[in-house]
Amino acid sequence: MADIRLEGVGHSYDGGTTWALKPMTWTWRTSRAYALLGPSGCGKTTLLNIISGLITPTVGRIFFDDRDVTDVPTAGRNIAQVFQFPVLYEEMSVYDNLAFPLRNRKYPKNEIDQRVRQVSQLLGLDHLLRRRSRRLDPGRQQIVSLGRGLVRSQVAAVLLDEPLTVVDPALKWTLRSKLKEIHRDTGHTLIYVTHDQTEALTFADEVVVLNDGAIMQAGEPAELFLSPSHEFVGHFIGSPGMNMVPGEIVGDVVRVGQAAVGSVANDLPPGPVRIGVRPEFVQITHASPGVAAQVTGIDRMGAYDLVHTRVGEHPVIARTEAGSGYQPDVEAFLRFPPDRTFLFRDQVRCGFL
Ligand code: ATP
């Protein structure tokens, strides 16, 4: 296992006109479980394929610890990769499919048997070991593919590209926790690509948020939720995402329209800002003090309510306990708590209340 270091790595599919991955420097640290999270087309698969050697980057170098592997083909990188759809030998049994990567690398027979049985038991495949793979449904086949990716104890990294897409939704939670268990056991460096924030946040030690070919922020799930450093992360993580309200700094006071929402906690020049606060932290009340808002609708979510409001022209959502009693068209008052309210300029966080 090794640290995987990207130095100025970028990729363009069209000779440099556009960059699917903008040149970046970044290290994946050994034995950590990462989620690589971002919307469709942001460059996740390109980045994964550069690590595995399926793509040679247009610029930059890749190192596994101090070894420069930029020109080393996939077979020489000792990487296990699991794709979105099953990749199996259909005529082989489940056992032989799982054993294949180990036999290929000449693991001792007893270790092969031990690893196959361990992984199959964890993934709930132990009763299917003798079954031909083509006789399994696509969801089960994908779980076998996952097992093939995880069966080797000695790999530089395991790369998982949206591995649970074809798996029954009810099984996904279980499989994610099994994956974590296997990770704890093997200490593999895992990179798990997904566009689903729940998948990323529940799985990873560290989430790397990618957008438009660039890393926006990386951190532990709670850090990304509580302290986004970029507007994109505020929007993309959370359900619904962070409220963003145009405001203005006058002296050390942050205003929305004529209403003061708080004092700036750090030194910032006056002028326009965007005020970011998550629905979970907006405090809404029927009476002042606070910024006056108009309630425009309520989503009753069962466990909680989402109260939709407007401050002037700008929508702000507040999450409240279920049965909060707000009705459309009534007036409400909003408070934006210090420590949970951030200020952004040019989409980048520049301060807080
Ligand atoms: P998805 O979640 O939809 O798989 P992604 O985040 O994995 O997307 P990539 O598949 O890496 O994104 O694609 C990044 C960008 O590169 C996209 O604009 C895509 O259209 C483009 N792209 C990907 N593969 C190729 C290719 N072989 N030739 C040309 N452009 C490509």
Side-chain angles (χ1 to χ4, degrees):
M1 277 167 271
D3 279 357
I4 296 173
R5 195 155 45 91
L6 312 177
E7 289 206 349
V9 165
H11 193 67
S12 169
Y13 289 99
D14 55 13
T17 310
T18 55
W19 290 83
L21 204 67
K22 295 174 181 149
M24 62 171 67
T25 294
W26 171 256
T27 301
W28 308 91
R29 286 190 286 127
T30 189
S31 294
R32 271 177 94 69
Y34 290 94
L36 180 57
L37 173 69
S40 185
C42 72
K44 304 180 295 294
T45 301
T46 304
L47 180 49
L48 218 58
N49 288 343
I50 286 174
I51 296 170
S52 67
L54 291 173
I55 292 177
T56 304
T58 312
V59 294
R61 312 297 301 173
I62 309 171
F63 297 85
F64 287 6
D65 285 336
D66 292 330
R67 179 178 167 229
D68 185 337
V69 298
T70 317
D71 301 313
V72 176
T74 307
R77 293 198 186 186
N78 195 20
I79 291 272
Q81 193 160 5
V82 179
F83 299 93
Q84 208 168 351
F85 299 102
V87 181
L88 293 176
Y89 295 103
E90 293 206 333
E91 292 309 316
M92 281 187 190
S93 66
V94 169
Y95 187 103
D96 287 339
N97 264 294
L98 291 173
F100 190 86
L102 304 172
R103 289 187 179 135
N104 212 17
R105 283 170 184 81
K106 312 263 184 289
Y107 277 55
K109 211 167 167 212
N110 60 343
E111 192 177 340
I112 295 177
D113 196 57
Q114 190 196 351
R115 285 294 300 159
V116 168
R117 290 190 188 281
Q118 212 175 354
V119 166
S120 58
Q121 197 194 6
L122 273 166
L123 295 179
L125 295 169
D126 38 353
H127 61 296
L128 298 170
L129 285 174
R130 302 175 79 85
R131 187 85 59 90
R132 282 225 179 136
S133 300
R134 78 176 151 77
R135 294 190 50 220
L136 303 177
D137 64 64
R140 289 267 175 231
Q141 288 181 343
Q142 181 63 5
I143 298 172
V144 178
S145 295
L146 193 58
R148 272 170 60 118
L150 296 165
V151 77
R152 283 157 59 199
S153 47
Q154 300 298 320
V155 284
V158 180
L159 311 181
L160 308 160
D161 195 351
E162 310 237 10
L164 303 182
T165 307
V166 295
V167 173
D168 188 285
L171 258 182
K172 284 187 182 181
W173 284 95
T174 319
L175 280 171
R176 274 203 301 276
S177 66
K178 296 291 180 195
L179 254 175
K180 281 170 100 162
E181 213 173 304
I182 294 172
H183 175 253
R184 272 198 300 274
D185 182 40
T186 59
H188 288 140
T189 308
L190 279 185
I191 306 177
Y192 184 117
V193 163
T194 178
H195 61 264
D196 177 334
Q197 56 162 309
T198 310
E199 227 164 87
L201 299 177
T202 53
F203 168 77
D205 299 326
E206 189 169 343
V207 181
V208 178
V209 181
L210 197 68
N211 187 39
D212 202 13
I215 294 176
M216 299 282 108
Q217 188 175 359
E220 291 178 9
E223 186 185 342
L224 295 186
F225 182 80
L226 293 174
S227 186
S229 59
H230 194 282
E231 283 193 24
F232 177 82
V233 178
H235 283 302
F236 196 69
I237 290 187
S239 183
M242 192 172 234
N243 295 298
M244 287 288 169
V245 188
E248 175 132 33
I249 298 176
V250 181
D252 69 346
V253 174
V254 183
R255 290 177 178 276
V256 174
Q258 291 309 306
V261 297
S263 307
V264 192
N266 55 321
D267 249 358
L268 274 182
V273 281
R274 280 161 65 81
I275 304 163
V277 58
R278 291 204 175 276
E280 289 81 352
F281 303 126
V282 174
Q283 293 164 357
I284 182 166
T285 49
H286 293 279
S288 61
V291 178
Q294 193 77 16
V295 176
T296 56
I298 322 279
D299 292 335
R300 302 196 194 285
M301 309 298 290
Y304 56 89
D305 289 351
L306 293 174
V307 183
H308 295 254
T309 73
R310 241 169 228 294
V311 174
E313 290 302 303
H314 309 295
V316 178
I317 300 173
R319 180 173 156 158
T320 65
E321 285 180 10
S324 57
Y326 287 95
Q327 297 296 334
D329 298 327
V330 302
E331 194 177 36
F333 294 86
L334 307 179
R335 271 174 291 160
F336 300 170
D339 295 337
R340 294 280 180 254
T341 305
F342 299 105
L343 306 174
F344 295 84
R345 275 183 174 153
D346 296 327
Q347 304 210 21
V348 176
R349 193 177 76 208
C350 59
F352 54 99
L353 294 190

